[in-house]
Amino acid sequence: MSTAVDMPRFVRAQQVEALPPPSLTRGPIAWVRENLFSGPFNTLLTLVVFYLLYISVPPLLNFLFIDAVWSGADRAACRADMGGSETGACWAFVREKLSYFTYGSYTVSERWRVDVFFALLALGVGWLLWLKAPRRDLGAVYFFWLFPVVSYILLTGGNADFSGRFWIGFLIFGALLIALFAFIAALLKTSLRPALIIGGGIVAVIGITLVLMDMDFGLEHVPTSLWGGILVTLLVATVGIVVSLPFGILLALGRRSKLPVVRMASVIFIEFVRGVPLITVLIMANTMLPLFLPGDITVDRLLRPLIGTALFSSAYMAEVVRGGLQAMPKGQYEGAMSLGLNYPQMMILIILPQALRIVIPGIVNTFIGLFKDTSLVAIVGIFDVVKTIEASRIDPNWAAPTIGMTGYAFAALFYFIFCFGMSRYSLGVERRLAAGQKR
Amino acid sequence: MATVTSQTIQTSAVDAKAEAAVQMIDVHKWYGEFHVLRDIKLNVRRGERIVICGPSGSGKSTMIRCINRLEEHQKGRIIVDGIELTNDLKRIDEVRRDVGMVFQHFNLFPHLTILENCTLAPIWVKKMAKKEAEEVAMHYLTRVKIPEQANKYPGQLSGGQQQRVAIARSLCMSPKIMLFDEPTSALDPEMVKEVLDTMVGLAEEGMTMLCVTHEMGFARQVADRVIFMDYGQIVEMNTPDEFFKNPQHERTKLFLSQILH
């Protein structure tokens, strides 16, 4: 039966050609009409927005660029009463203090080590983030093992000088770890060999790491109390990001585990850490961590907030990842299981790649939040970028009305570059992964 | 879910009749209070083709999903290819290696290409070399007549093509038994035939098959036995000829009158 009333019988004789769409909606004028002035309300909104831009943008440009002071040796350049200009930003101050913002009080003669650290960090990040980079597996080994060890040695000077007791403790720990792996293998009734190899491998890697840390490379020791500025901010953010993702994934899997002990532990950790402000976590890490440890073990004062932020963001990451796991259809698990994949294979090869892709926006959101939250480590006396700016602001040499604003403008620019970079990169990855894999 | 069959230690080899591919002995299963499988007794010989039909909710999917332990049974015994299914993970993996399964909704992995879908399990489960796995995969993709799609993603294929890939993916593990859970129910009418043809080809090669389907033409053509289930029980089991010509049970007659026009 045909729907055309006057055509009870119809057989198509010719294929209808595909035509281009009508071109009424092209060109700049059409665009403006459609997007800015499509109705009285939108016209009004457009005019209001233009007015707001008019009153806010020119003064900002004036302050940041046109009236700004670009050079000068001290406050004179930025004070009207001493012949300078104080209507614009005092970039001379930032230029003068830039090395303090970057390195904090790090020993001046050793600052090349921080520069090498920045270069190594950039290399590792580039290697891993550039999706078409060669040998990304080596990149991962570099970034997650070699780079941290080398950075530790470079930044602190290495030569940790472990005691004999420490090495005995390590041997006992290693033996226990291998025994634990063997025990788990026996529990799961899988063969013992791979468990022993994995356990032994982990102990060996830790051992080599410790030996390297112990070795004397003739570098001068720089205590962490001298570190500061961008160095500390990037360090805290990188460690937080690198630890929180895998740890968050483990917590998320733990929360969905069928074993009540594992599930309860994960839930308690996540809910406790999420239920407490980061400042509280930092203060607790700073003051209470030493109380829990035996008297002769001291945790470095930079390491404490480092652990605090990493654990804090792990809890958030766990919930983001759990969202992705929740979104996976049951059929994917069944498909994987029916092929004989075991749990780790199923998770690593099938479930996590898809689940993590779903939650890339959430993951990056957490990373960006973490990056900015690193400024809170100032609360426990660590000199991150913001804190170094705070400290420079009250330098009498640079006492001028615009100093504070300029310093904060610099901080804003610094954070914006990194956060916007993360955001754009993640959009790129999403688009790349979305190509061709629509469900 | 906690109750587990009591015989965990007994070795399976003793029970294995050489010719039995699947033995289900007095199998029961509950979902909470709901008794889904009731006293299932079924013996599948090697090379036998069995078609299972029945109204929805009759437990037919649950029954075949018990065979590769996607569902756990709570009473009775299931012995697959001489291996008894218990809580022992290692044995479950062994069984799954030998039992292929094709699902109603294909369950292909959307983030992997067709070729990767097919080579994944041989590489990771059978520890096959990548090159060899790819050769095997291409062999089976050629058999299901879609070798040219190997480098596409599942989302770019039609339903019928996806289901044929799913069959090829299972075959790549060279299974001894194939389970089909309503393989044509989610397909457009025009694509049912290409999938059924593939399955007929497989049956002709002597694969042991258990197939939940309402394609009665397929049942007539290849099945050695047809099973009708309702309320979690096997109501009737017979050769296709007898089953369709001469249904014995009232429920079977009613069912057949509904689906055969």
Side-chain angles (χ1 to χ4, degrees):
Chain A
M1 234 199 290
S2 166
T3 47
V5 182
D6 56 345
M7 237 199 305
R9 299 177 62 202
F10 172 74
V11 177
R12 180 164 301 285
Q14 268 172 330
Q15 186 85 19
V16 179
E17 290 295 321
L19 299 171
S23 56
L24 297 171
T25 52
R26 289 184 193 171
I29 295 174
W31 186 90
V32 167
R33 196 177 294 150
E34 185 168 324
N35 291 285
L36 300 179
F37 303 104
S38 62
F41 182 66
N42 282 348
T43 306
L44 189 68
L45 276 185
T46 304
L47 293 176
V48 168
V49 168
F50 276 139
Y51 177 68
L52 289 176
L53 288 176
Y54 169 72
I55 59 169
S56 61
V57 173
L60 198 65
L61 291 179
N62 268 339
F63 177 79
L64 288 178
F65 301 107
I66 297 165
D67 293 342
V69 179
W70 296 93
S71 57
D74 61 4
R75 65 202 156 127
C78 301
R79 286 181 75 109
D81 55 358
M82 295 174 80
S85 152
E86 56 180 54
T87 52
C90 188
W91 294 119
F93 159 72
V94 172
R95 270 171 77 165
E96 164 90 11
K97 296 284 185 183
L98 192 60
S99 66
Y100 180 58
F101 294 163
T102 311
Y103 309 104
S105 314
Y106 204 90
T107 318
V108 177
S109 62
E110 302 297 317
R111 286 187 178 173
W112 62 270
R113 280 150 58 177
V114 180
D115 293 333
V116 174
F117 162 76
F118 285 146
L120 291 176
L121 176 66
L123 173 68
V125 169
W127 199 345
L128 285 191
L129 294 193
W130 180 27
L131 295 178
K132 281 184 193 155
R135 295 308 302 269
R136 293 177 77 223
D137 50 344
L138 279 185
V141 173
Y142 165 77
F143 191 76
F144 294 106
W145 184 57
L146 198 62
F147 167 66
V149 176
V150 171
S151 303
Y152 172 83
I153 294 165
L154 263 180
L155 291 176
T156 63
N159 197 7
D161 214 9
F162 296 123
S163 62
R165 261 183 60 200
F166 176 87
W167 287 112
I168 295 170
F170 170 69
L171 286 180
I172 296 171
F173 164 79
L176 282 178
L177 194 77
I178 294 176
L180 179 73
F181 270 91
F183 177 69
I184 291 173
L187 214 64
L188 295 174
K189 294 195 173 120
T190 53
S191 54
L192 213 57
R193 251 175 69 94
L196 288 178
I197 291 172
I198 292 172
I202 291 174
V203 172
V205 168
I206 297 176
I208 294 171
T209 307
L210 290 174
V211 168
L212 283 173
M213 284 164 70
D214 197 29
M215 237 184 252
D216 187 359
F217 290 93
L219 291 168
E220 187 193 328
H221 179 64
V222 182
T224 52
S225 51
L226 296 180
W227 303 12
I230 291 174
L231 165 64
V232 162
T233 296
L234 287 187
L235 194 68
V236 176
T238 310
V239 170
I241 286 172
V242 169
V243 171
S244 69
L245 187 59
F247 204 58
I249 290 172
L250 287 182
L251 280 171
L253 294 177
R255 192 167 184 165
R256 289 165 56 87
S257 164
K258 281 184 192 142
L259 303 171
V261 186
V262 177
R263 193 173 55 232
M264 279 306 289
S266 306
V267 169
I268 289 172
F269 178 87
I270 292 169
E271 295 303 336
F272 178 73
V273 173
R274 275 203 313 168
V276 176
L278 177 55
I279 290 188
T280 319
V281 173
L282 289 175
I283 293 175
M284 278 172 61
N286 199 41
T287 55
M288 288 171 70
L289 200 62
L291 296 182
F292 292 133
L293 295 167
D296 55 342
I297 298 180
T298 51
V299 179
D300 186 89
R301 53 181 277 294
L302 178 61
L303 191 60
R304 292 175 215 165
L306 216 56
I307 294 172
T309 39
L311 292 184
F312 188 78
S313 43
S314 303
Y316 279 87
M317 191 58 70
E319 289 299 278
V320 171
V321 173
R322 192 168 67 92
L325 291 174
Q326 221 88 298
M328 290 302 298
K330 213 176 149 214
Q332 291 294 307
Y333 290 90
E334 290 177 350
M337 283 194 283
S338 74
L339 287 170
L341 297 179
N342 59 28
Y343 180 82
Q345 289 171 336
M346 173 172 80
M347 281 299 164
I348 294 170
L349 298 171
I350 306 300
I351 303 299
L352 283 175
Q354 297 183 62
L356 292 180
R357 202 194 107 205
I358 298 173
V359 292
I360 287 176
I363 292 175
V364 174
N365 203 18
T366 312
F367 283 170
I368 288 176
L370 167 69
F371 191 84
K372 291 179 297 181
D373 281 351
T374 55
S375 55
L376 287 173
V377 297
I379 213 95
V380 289
I382 308 290
F383 275 68
D384 76 307
V385 172
V386 177
K387 187 76 178 177
T388 55
I389 291 169
E390 287 269 282
S392 311
R393 202 166 65 88
I394 51 175
D395 178 356
N397 261 339
W398 283 96
T402 52
I403 292 303
M405 275 195 277
T406 309
Y408 291 129
F410 173 74
L413 183 70
F414 167 77
Y415 282 108
F416 182 77
I417 288 172
F418 279 89
C419 295
F420 189 65
M422 283 193 252
S423 161
R424 297 312 296 179
Y425 175 76
S426 84
L427 278 180
V429 171
E430 270 175 61
R431 219 169 297 135
R432 242 191 76 106
L433 292 180
Q437 309 184 10
K438 273 165 267 150
R439 206 180 288 273
Chain B
M1 294 293 274
T3 47
V4 170
T5 44
S6 55
Q7 66 301 321
T8 39
I9 320 288
Q10 289 174 7
T11 49
S12 41
V14 182
D15 304 299
K17 291 180 194 159
E19 74 278 17
V22 180
Q23 280 177 280
M24 299 181 90
I25 306 165
D26 307 333
V27 172
H28 291 259
K29 175 174 175 61
W30 290 263
Y31 284 132
E33 289 292 301
F34 180 56
H35 199 170
V36 256
L37 289 184
R38 308 181 187 185
D39 196 33
I40 302 290
K41 295 181 175 67
L42 177 64
N43 243 312
V44 183
R45 291 188 305 277
R46 278 186 206 289
E48 198 172 22
R49 276 93 51 170
I50 290 185
V51 165
I52 302 150
C53 59
S56 58
S58 60
K60 46 195 197 304
S61 284
T62 310
M63 184 176 90
I64 70 163
R65 287 156 63 89
C66 280
I67 294 172
N68 68 351
R69 195 73 169 189
L70 288 183
E71 305 280 353
E72 194 178 328
H73 60 288
Q74 279 126 25
K75 214 171 150 211
R77 314 176 59 184
I78 299 178
I79 299 154
V80 181
D81 196 34
I83 303 168
E84 172 150 12
L85 283 170
T86 63
N87 275 348
D88 186 342
L89 290 177
K90 218 173 160 185
R91 281 201 215 162
I92 293 173
D93 283 343
E94 251 170 73
V95 166
R96 285 180 181 159
R97 229 168 290 160
D98 285 344
V99 179
M101 184 153 190
V102 176
F103 300 87
Q104 183 178 0
H105 295 290
F106 329 136
N107 297 353
L108 294 178
F109 307 128
H111 62 303
L112 301 177
T113 64
I114 300 306
L115 188 64
E116 287 165 342
N117 263 280
C118 293
T119 55
L120 183 100
I123 289 173
W124 290 90
V125 180
K126 288 189 134 184
K127 314 288 176 202
M128 205 184 266
K130 190 175 173 215
K131 193 132 193 272
E132 193 190 347
E134 280 175 357
E135 276 163 22
V136 172
M138 286 314 292
H139 168 75
Y140 285 112
L141 284 175
T142 311
R143 238 193 76 174
V144 300
K145 301 194 180 69
I146 32 177
E148 71 281 0
Q149 314 280 7
N151 291 314
K152 289 192 183 167
Y153 286 93
Q156 297 167 301
L157 269 55
S158 74
Q161 289 173 323
Q162 289 193 46
Q163 193 60 296
R164 284 184 283 151
V165 171
I167 295 173
R169 180 177 74 174
S170 293
L171 292 178
C172 285
M173 288 292 285
S174 17
K176 295 176 182 159
I177 301 163
M178 285 286 285
L179 308 173
F180 293 86
D181 189 0
E182 306 207 30
T184 56
S185 303
L187 295 179
D188 288 343
E190 281 185 307
M191 297 171 178
V192 170
K193 189 174 177 297
E194 61 188 53
V195 172
L196 287 180
D197 285 348
T198 311
M199 290 165 63
V200 171
L202 208 54
E204 281 165 358
E205 284 174 25
M207 175 68 76
T208 311
M209 292 165 71
L210 281 95
C211 186
V212 174
T213 183
H214 292 138
E215 296 294 333
M216 290 305 142
F218 174 77
R220 279 208 185 91
Q221 192 181 345
V222 304
D224 297 312
R225 267 191 290 170
V226 180
I227 291 175
F228 175 68
M229 286 182 75
D230 198 13
Y231 291 110
Q233 310 156 64
I234 294 179
V235 173
E236 193 163 344
M237 173 152 61
N238 214 331
T239 59
D241 275 354
E242 283 297 300
F243 182 84
F244 290 114
K245 250 184 251 154
N246 233 337
Q248 300 297 309
H249 199 282
E250 281 310 308
R251 186 66 188 87
T252 319
K253 285 178 195 164
L254 181 65
F255 179 78
L256 286 178
S257 73
Q258 301 286 343
I259 65 163
L260 300 174
H261 318 287

